[in-house]
Amino acid sequence: MPADISLFTLTLLCLAALAAGWIDAVVGGGGLLLLPALLVGLPHTPAAYVLGTNKSTAIVGTTAAAVTYVRKAPLDIRTALRIGLAAVAGSLVGAFFAAGINSAVLRPLIMAVLLAVLAFVLFRPAFGTAPAPSGPVSRQRMLAAVLVAGLGIGFYDGLIGPGTGAFLVVALAAVLHMDLVTSSATAKVVNVCTNVGALTMFAIQGTVLWQLGALLALFNLVGGMVGARMALKRGAGFVRGVLVVVVVALLCKLAYDQWLAA
């Protein structure tokens, strides 16, 4: 635990972890809230430690949400684990390169992808509302899901992180033709795998504040369990609405960091 952190700052970080757990469970993107909160609350802490501590917190809430979905959602656990194994590899590599990343170069690329995601969701109202197909997934679609959602988004999660859950939800719904509740459930399992890979690398590098991460993880856990239950109860329309809000918020945050932040 950082010695100079005040009780007020610690309280705000706990509330941010709670809200981030809820957002992550519904559609992903909780890092949009928690990572900036950690950067503001720990201004003198190296960025690598902030990233590592964020992962140590996020993995708990994401795991709780994944367990809730596995128990109650129509989830193909074999499909999720196949993609998840690729995601572990992708996130390990991404976390390895995280220390040398130039965020000013990557932000415009990420914003372009987010704009495409937002346009795709807004201009296709039926996206993610059809029932999930009952037949087996073709090899071609499974390979595409492994490459895009597993290796590709896994690499991004290890490298930067915020928005990973939202990217996974959209990618799985588009590639495997899942409804948004099923894709959100599958995304949680895959996201647990990306967190495992990234956290393993951060732990090896010694860049995790374990005491702070454990405290924030308790609040993230509660948020994740509540969010998963709400998504299951309210259905695809609710998830779609939260997805749009999270993508817009991500775009605003990235645009601010790129052009307005000093």
Side-chain angles (χ1 to χ4, degrees):
M1 187 79 69
D4 59 345
I5 189 170
S6 67
L7 180 60
F8 178 73
T9 298
L10 191 60
T11 301
L12 290 181
L13 289 177
C14 289
L15 293 175
L18 180 73
W22 186 90
I23 294 171
D24 260 336
V26 176
V27 74
L32 167 70
L33 180 60
L34 184 56
L35 190 57
L38 284 168
L39 288 169
V40 171
L42 305 172
H44 305 299
T45 302
Y49 283 84
V50 174
L51 289 169
T53 305
N54 176 60
K55 282 300 172 197
S56 72
T57 299
I59 193 172
V60 175
T62 304
T63 301
V67 170
T68 302
Y69 277 119
V70 167
R71 293 172 59 187
K72 298 184 178 182
L75 171 66
D76 185 344
I77 191 66
R78 290 183 62 186
T79 295
L81 289 178
R82 285 176 182 175
I83 300 170
L85 287 174
V88 171
S91 61
L92 273 168
V93 177
F96 179 78
F97 288 106
I101 188 64
N102 186 343
S103 57
V105 174
L106 279 183
R107 283 192 201 111
L109 297 177
I110 298 169
M111 283 189 283
V113 174
L114 281 170
L115 281 171
V117 168
L118 182 62
F120 184 77
V121 174
L122 289 178
F123 292 108
R124 295 189 61 181
F127 172 72
T129 59
S134 56
V137 177
S138 69
R139 289 185 178 181
Q140 291 83 358
R141 288 191 177 277
M142 179 56 68
L143 178 60
V146 167
L147 292 176
V148 175
L151 290 174
I153 299 179
F155 177 82
Y156 168 80
D157 191 35
L159 191 67
I160 302 175
T164 295
F167 288 143
L168 284 171
V169 170
V170 172
L172 292 169
V175 175
L176 299 180
H177 293 170
M178 294 177 173
D179 64 81
L180 284 177
V181 172
T182 303
S183 66
S184 187
T186 307
K188 292 296 135 331
V189 177
V190 177
N191 208 174
V192 170
C193 296
T194 67
N195 285 336
V196 167
L199 182 58
T200 298
M201 183 57 67
F202 286 125
I204 291 172
Q205 295 173 339
T207 56
V208 181
L209 301 174
W210 291 108
Q211 288 183 321
L212 178 60
L215 176 62
L216 299 181
L218 292 175
F219 289 85
N220 198 253
L221 172 66
V222 174
M225 294 175 68
V226 172
R229 285 179 170 83
M230 288 184 68
L232 287 167
K233 182 178 180 180
R234 299 195 178 188
F238 172 71
V239 175
R240 183 177 184 273
V242 175
L243 175 62
V244 170
V245 171
V246 169
V247 170
V248 170
L250 274 168
L251 277 167
C252 293
K253 176 63 170 62
L254 288 168
Y256 175 84
D257 289 345
Q258 182 71 16
W259 293 300
L260 299 178

